[in-house]
Amino acid sequence: MENASKFYIDGKWVEPISHQISELIDPSTEKVYAKVAMGSAADVDKAVKAARRAFATFSKTSVSERIDLLQKLDAIFRRREREIAETVTQEMGMPISLSTTGLLDWCKVHTAETIEILRKFEFAEKLGTTTVYKDPIGVVGLITPWNFPIGQVFTKILPAMATGCTMVLKPSQLTPLDAIILAEIMDEAGVPAGVFNLVNGDGRTVGEAISQHPDIDMVSFTGSTRAGVQISKSAADTVKRVVTELGGKSANIIVDDADFPSAIESAIANCFFINGQACDAGTRLLVPRNRLEETVKLAAAAAEANVVGPPSDPKTTLGPVMNANQFKSIQEHIKSGIEEGARLVAGGLGRPDGFEAGYFVKPTVFADVQPGMAIYKDEIFGPVLSIVAYEDLDDAIRIANDTEYGLAAHITGKDMEKVRKLARELRAGSVYVNSPDWDPKAPFGGYRQSGNGRECGEYGFNEYLELKAVVGHG
Ligand code: NAD
């Protein structure tokens, strides 16, 4: 890819200030397939200066000008969407059946939703004798992970553009190529110079430079809790706003009156979504104790029905995990599950039969998982499900909330009154009832160590706005 050796700053493709190159490894072959430039603090500074200059005028653009830009972005994205999906599939192993559907839909539906909100959004509100103005916060630093790459980038660039902010994006160093295509799209769409800037690089260098930069007003970060803590600390000296979307260990509660065959099939699909690498996956499956053995049989069969294979094959449902580190960490968790006495009912250690290379993991299910075990507590970020038995619904609530995280929870059950009551007791930012279609209006974010702030829909706009109260206004 021509622009992989450059950064997009101030409306131009520019050479990095220092010349560092990183090799990108295809997770299904373990072979190098591309090289990308890695930035430095000096590149970040250059991008921030461009964004600051652009903010002076972009923050004053009209709503209709910004809607026009978003519509142009959408039209060009649609023209290049197949290329984007194939790029993501190579970068991080997302099955092509998902990258060409759910991933692209996420970007397009959120664009449409952003335009709809922007049309109606009140940037000034009267309260008593006060007018409250909602001003764009300024220059925003956007740091994103690799697991749903272009999707997470869209979740941030859309509200930033809609509210009149200017930005510096640092995507994951493992998935920079889809963001390079996005920068090309921004350029073609005529986004004014400096409004959108892209600097590739690693967390410790470019990410840290963004978090610390005194002229960045806010950082919006999606990624691990470990990095979220680091970013919050680095940002503290300059008192910038920090929005963090972090990890999870979400519960999936199956109520006794659920239709078990379909509920367990959905639970497996949910846990193994994006090769087991979704932040809000229901990785702890909670079932009534008297339904445990039935659940074990259904879960093992559903896990084994997965088609593990190259992500570019349309039949594949489970591709490789991201890289050697992820593979190693997942294997260590499976080993710990066995050693700590959980019952392995599907999958296990090593690659699936027939795979000599690639970071492929066996679809794995454990039963009899107990509090205290690593597979009960840790975000494994791989296709590994932990089944936990509960005595009654109070016990299910206790187990579901027994985590340092609070990103999501899932419930399947027929008695809606019972289900609603249960949902109110769960300490999680999203509660998904009966495997719903995803709703772009729903705010997304976590309680506890799953983060601070919300993304998506109208609530997502608020993160990018400062409030100014003009008091005594009449
Ligand atoms: P990661 O934290 O390793 O990296 C995410 C991004 O942060 C990358 O761009 C990385 O370069 C950067 N980074 C890392 N250390 C940094 C530092 N010290 N300072 C600044 N930037 C730094 O996460 P990952 O492995 O790319 O993604 C997986 C994690 O993301 C999982 O924990 C998952 O749950 C989480 N996630 C959360 C959500 C959500 O919305 N809550 C969504 C997707 C993924």
Side-chain angles (χ1 to χ4, degrees):
M1 182 184 281
E2 192 197 332
N3 287 322
S5 62
K6 298 184 182 151
F7 301 142
Y8 186 72
I9 297 176
D10 209 9
K12 294 182 282 293
W13 288 98
V14 298
E15 293 293 330
I17 291 170
S18 57
H19 287 270
Q20 294 235 40
I21 295 291
S22 172
E23 292 181 329
L24 300 179
I25 294 171
D26 184 328
S28 49
T29 60
E30 299 179 47
K31 296 214 167 80
V32 174
Y33 68 92
K35 291 183 180 171
V36 69
M38 300 286 275
S40 62
D43 296 301
V44 171
D45 193 50
K46 191 167 155 185
V48 174
K49 286 198 170 90
R52 178 56 61 193
R53 281 193 299 274
F55 183 69
T57 43
F58 193 64
S59 58
K60 304 226 161 50
T61 48
S62 66
V63 163
S64 67
E65 283 171 286
R66 299 202 296 277
I67 288 178
D68 190 43
L69 280 179
L70 289 165
Q71 283 170 335
K72 285 187 179 134
L73 163 75
D74 185 53
I76 304 165
F77 177 87
R78 285 168 190 266
R79 202 186 73 224
R80 296 189 68 178
E81 65 178 22
R82 178 81 204 181
E83 180 190 355
I84 292 170
E86 285 171 359
T87 300
V88 169
T89 288
Q90 173 155 57
E91 283 178 314
M92 53 74 65
M94 182 181 292
I96 194 81
S97 58
L98 174 60
S99 61
T100 51
T101 57
L103 177 72
L104 296 177
D105 286 349
W106 176 276
C107 300
K108 291 182 284 190
V109 172
H110 276 289
T111 306
E113 180 65 23
T114 303
I115 292 171
E116 196 188 315
I117 296 168
L118 186 52
R119 271 191 222 288
K120 298 187 214 135
F121 197 81
E122 301 284 352
F123 284 93
E125 194 185 341
K126 294 282 275 177
L127 280 177
T129 64
T130 301
T131 302
V132 179
Y133 292 99
K134 300 175 186 177
D135 290 341
I137 191 166
V139 176
V140 297
L142 312 175
I143 304 178
T144 54
W146 48 262
N147 67 318
F148 201 59
I150 191 77
Q152 279 132 349
V153 169
F154 261 68
T155 313
K156 298 187 190 305
I157 57 149
L158 292 171
M161 267 174 83
T163 53
C165 293
T166 58
M167 57 206 118
V168 178
L169 168 69
K170 188 206 89 65
S172 169
Q173 63 274 29
L174 304 175
T175 53
L177 302 184
D178 60 273
I180 290 174
I181 300 176
L182 172 70
E184 292 171 358
I185 293 173
M186 290 284 206
D187 189 67
E188 190 182 336
V191 173
V195 169
F196 172 85
N197 302 277
L198 170 72
V199 179
N200 279 310
D202 63 26
R204 250 183 261 154
T205 318
V206 174
E208 189 72 15
I210 289 174
S211 316
Q212 289 178 346
H213 203 290
D215 214 18
I216 288 187
D217 300 288
M218 159 177 152
V219 173
S220 176
F221 168 73
T222 300
S224 62
T225 297
R226 177 202 59 78
V229 169
Q230 196 52 53
I231 288 169
S232 304
K233 287 181 181 167
S234 301
D237 286 338
T238 48
V239 199
K240 54 173 64 73
R241 185 178 298 171
V242 183
V243 176
T244 51
E245 301 290 345
L246 309 177
K249 185 72 182 179
S250 302
N252 186 350
I253 304 176
I254 313 297
V255 181
D256 200 27
D257 66 1
D259 173 51
F260 269 60
S262 71
I264 305 305
E265 198 182 317
S266 300
I268 288 285
N270 179 275
C271 180
F272 293 1
F273 185 60
I274 335 182
N275 310 333
Q277 302 167 126
C279 53
D280 58 355
T283 50
R284 290 183 300 149
L285 179 62
L286 277 48
V287 295
R289 187 167 298 283
N290 62 354
R291 310 294 295 268
L292 179 62
E293 293 314 315
E294 176 187 359
T295 300
V296 163
K297 281 200 197 92
L298 291 167
E304 278 154 11
N306 270 279
V307 181
V308 183
S312 55
D313 185 337
K315 291 193 291 299
T316 293
T317 59
L318 198 69
V321 298
M322 178 68 240
N323 60 11
N325 282 346
Q326 275 295 120
F327 183 81
K328 183 163 169 273
S329 157
I330 295 163
Q331 296 298 318
E332 281 167 6
H333 275 98
I334 296 174
K335 190 158 171 276
S336 84
I338 297 166
E339 285 172 2
E340 291 183 331
R343 175 163 45 125
L344 184 66
V345 296
L349 287 165
R351 289 195 184 92
D353 291 345
F355 288 86
E356 308 280 284
Y359 307 116
F360 294 94
V361 175
K362 290 179 188 164
T364 296
V365 179
F366 282 101
D368 305 334
V369 177
Q370 305 290 339
M373 291 181 180
I375 58 169
Y376 175 96
K377 291 188 295 196
D378 296 354
E379 181 185 53
I380 303 173
F381 231 51
V384 181
L385 179 71
S386 296
I387 303 177
V388 187
Y390 67 80
E391 307 304 333
D392 54 26
L393 286 183
D394 284 341
D395 194 35
I397 294 165
R398 190 190 54 73
I399 298 168
N401 290 338
D402 181 25
T403 167
E404 65 198 19
Y405 296 112
L407 190 59
H410 308 256
I411 308 175
T412 307
K414 290 202 177 111
D415 179 343
M416 285 312 289
E417 203 178 321
K418 209 187 262 181
V419 167
R420 272 189 216 105
K421 258 194 183 151
L422 198 51
R424 295 288 288 128
E425 294 300 323
L426 299 174
R427 307 261 308 146
S430 302
V431 181
Y432 301 105
V433 172
N434 291 328
S435 307
D437 285 340
W438 138 77
D439 182 356
K441 294 195 192 304
F444 187 81
Y447 284 30
R448 310 193 77 212
Q449 292 191 26
S450 289
N452 282 314
R454 293 293 180 269
E455 294 200 298
C456 303
E458 194 166 334
Y459 288 96
F461 267 44
N462 293 330
E463 304 291 352
Y464 291 81
L465 295 168
E466 276 288 15
L467 300 183
K468 180 190 292 163
V470 179
V471 186
H473 201 251

